[in-house]
Amino acid sequence: MSSNSRRDFLRISALELAAGGFLASGKVNVAGASSAAPGTIHEPSRSVPVFAEADVCVLGGSCTGVFAAIRAARLGAEVVLIEKQNSFGGTATNSMVNVWHSLMDTEFKRQIIAGLTLETMERLRRRGAVDVDRGSHSVGCGFNSDEMKIELDEMVKEAGVKPYLHTVFSLPYVRDGQLEAVIVENKSGRGAIKAKMFVDATGDGDLCHRLGLETYTREHLQPPTTCVRLSGWDSIGGKFSKLFREHGDEFDVPLGFVWGRNVPGSDVYMLAGTRVYGADCSNAEQLTGAEMEGRRQVRAFLNMLRKYVPDSRVVLQALPSQIGIRETRHVKCQYQITGDDILYGRRFKDAIANGSYRVDIHHQDKPGLTFKYLDGTQVYSRPGYPHVKGRWREKIQTNPTFYQIPFRSLVPGKYGNLIAAGRMLDADLVAFSAVRVMVNMNQTGEAAGTAAYLALDGNTPIPTLNAAKVRSVLAERGSVTI
Ligand SMILES: Cc1cc2nc3c(=O)[nH]c(=O)nc-3n(C[C@H](O)[C@H](O)[C@H](O)COP(=O)(O)OP(=O)(O)OC[C@H]3O[C@@H](n4cnc5c(N)ncnc54)[C@H](O)[C@@H]3O)c2cc1C
């Protein structure tokens, strides 16, 4: 492992900082509220210490990043893992989203996902921290997000990964066209992590974006949601969607979609019901506004319950340390996954992940969700109203039962030592709405960590790696590659 000693200094050239202001209000539509930067200042050039050197540096410590780091480390690489929050797990832990979907195909006959997702579920199951729903298209398992934080700590330690929590990636360091290091900030100050390979698992594609690689942000981003943990939810139960529909306007909460899940083995309920429209959470001001607006909506829900269900026993137990972000930037990669690839279950020679979760579009321009299934059916759903069912295509003889994610959709191409993993991957709206769930993103992390190791081991740039080799190593290590 790389030592933590300040063995080296990097000279960082001056950069221009755009100074931004904070939002004055947390209204629902924060998109238009961003103020123009009131000028720039010139940051003087300076040397910074090298905090660590590694074979592979993974930026972002959700399960995607953790699994990338563990895969590379178990194969023999020295790995540093950078996470800006105080624990690993990303949306699954710090945003409280405690549901993973099925590891089976759509007919629940064939296992299509395993690897570190299955391993983590097994470990949590031994702690009574998982409830499994076999045969559900909505849920594969519910888990205890805080138990997961501790489990991920254990897994990172066991793999010998060098972790940095409370450490935010700030800038890439490129010399002679080569990505040599990343600049991070933490309690020790500003420093560099030098590595031979980099995995961008920041969700927002921060590394790729700051390298100036081509990224794109859709006009209609799927909106972020502040989840919340509540006790006494059984005193409300099924009444909430109706209340929401009837009184949402009075409390200024937009009609979006409401779902939730008990924390296994407890009477604590995780509710995902808020919705901040028009926020791009890769913009600092809009992210700030979204956080505050999400919390305002939580209070509005509680006020609604106080007024209309005065005998409810609902008590706010915990708020997330970060709003749940569904979508921000995508990185332009060697291949963009299309809706047809997903809905027709296209097979790829370079497939590194399989998935069966339905297309699940959280609308920006109207309330509710549209689900599209691989069997040709679709459903439009919004709280308190009957589902609208239909078909997105005519019946065919044999429906696909799963889809795949190709390796190329993670490879931006310009830098030989860089790979993307997670929700920044290159996918159109429909494709992204299916692949974005965690059991799928986890696999992209495993593939990225494996590719980083193989590129290093074979002295081959990631963009020209033999994907068959990545697939065979993934399979040897427990992933399902079909
Ligand atoms: C409300 C909500 C409900 C959802 N429901 C489900 C569900 O039921 N099941 C499901 O499977 N999926 C669900 N999803 C989708 C899924 O959670 C996400 O698509 C998935 O977690 C994305 O994973 P990721 O690793 O790409 O990104 P993230 O989970 O966003 O992880 C990015 C990580 O990088 C870190 N990071 C970011 N920038 C930096 C930086 N500059 N420096 C250091 N660290 C950084 C972050 O702190 C975070 O840990 C939901 C999403 C939301 C928001």
Side-chain angles (χ1 to χ4, degrees), residues 115-181:
L116 289 169
T117 300
L118 182 62
E119 186 179 322
T120 307
M121 274 174 66
E122 290 291 323
R123 292 174 70 121
L124 289 173
R125 194 178 49 74
R126 290 199 286 275
R127 297 202 54 82
V130 170
D131 282 336
V132 177
D133 280 7
R134 288 188 212 291
S136 161
H137 289 287
S138 305
V139 176
C141 74
F143 52 83
N144 180 320
S145 294
D146 289 324
E147 288 279 357
M148 184 181 281
K149 287 180 185 173
I150 302 172
E151 208 58 54
L152 294 174
D153 285 348
E154 294 298 317
M155 291 169 74
V156 164
K157 279 189 273 181
E158 285 166 18
V161 170
K162 182 169 181 53
Y164 280 91
L165 292 170
H166 290 294
T167 300
V168 66
F169 156 74
S170 146
L171 280 175
Y173 177 78
V174 177
R175 198 168 53 162
D176 299 331
Q178 303 298 313
L179 175 59
E180 288 188 359

Side-chain angles (χ1 to χ4, degrees), residues 47-61:
S47 296
V48 297
V50 175
F51 287 154
E53 262 188 275
D55 294 327
V56 179
C57 173
V58 178
L59 297 174

Side-chain angles (χ1 to χ4, degrees), residues 59-65 82-85 87 89-92 94 97 99-101 167-170 201-204 206 210 224-225 227 259 272 322 324-326 421-424 432 436-439 441:
L59 297 174
S62 67
C63 292
T64 311
I82 305 294
E83 168 55 45
K84 69 182 161 84
Q85 300 224 35
S87 56
T91 309
N94 292 313
V97 177
V99 166
W100 277 356
H101 297 290
T167 300
V168 66
F169 156 74
S170 146
T202 58
D204 304 319
D206 285 356
R210 285 174 199 171
T225 290
C227 297
W259 66 275
Q322 179 170 297
I325 300 171
R326 289 193 173 83
R423 64 179 161 80
M424 74 195 72
F432 178 66
R436 67 190 178 84
V437 294
M438 293 181 266
V439 292
M441 296 298 92

